[in-house]
Amino acid sequence: MREVVEDIINHYSDGQLITHDWLKKRCGIEPLRYEDYGDVSKFIESYQMQQFQYMTITENIGNLMLKDYNSYFKNV
């Protein structure tokens, strides 16, 4: 996680938007494909788990940036 935060600190300026696509890719979150599941309920469950994982990642990034870099990160 620290590497992601360092990339953000080094490549983005204050107030600059970081896209969800960039952040997901940088954190290794791949888009889900329904074809890989073949069942709506399994796909939805995996999608919800991935969303929870992403929310956890953004919260951890925000906490690390605030604690170690005195920077504020907001997920919108």
Side-chain angles (χ1 to χ4, degrees):
M1 192 65 52
R2 186 166 298 282
E3 297 85 17
V4 174
V5 171
E6 289 175 2
D7 278 353
I8 291 169
I9 295 294
N10 292 326
H11 295 99
Y12 290 91
S13 58
D14 291 346
Q16 188 175 2
L17 293 178
I18 301 167
T19 65
H20 289 287
D21 289 339
W22 181 88
L23 191 55
K24 286 178 180 179
K25 185 175 181 181
R26 183 62 181 85
C27 293
I29 297 177
E30 298 289 329
L32 299 180
R33 298 173 352 126
Y34 175 75
E35 298 81 26
D36 294 337
Y37 296 88
D39 180 336
V40 172
S41 63
K42 288 180 183 177
F43 176 75
I44 291 171
E45 180 182 348
S46 293
Y47 181 79
Q48 290 171 336
M49 290 300 294
Q50 188 181 65
Q51 293 294 35
F52 181 73
Q53 177 188 21
Y54 183 65
M55 288 184 333
T56 301
I57 287 170
T58 59
E59 178 144 344
N60 288 340
I61 287 171
N63 290 337
L64 188 60
M65 287 181 71
L66 188 59
K67 178 180 162 237
D68 292 352
Y69 296 91
N70 292 324
S71 295
Y72 185 71
F73 179 83
K74 181 172 176 126
N75 183 17
V76 293

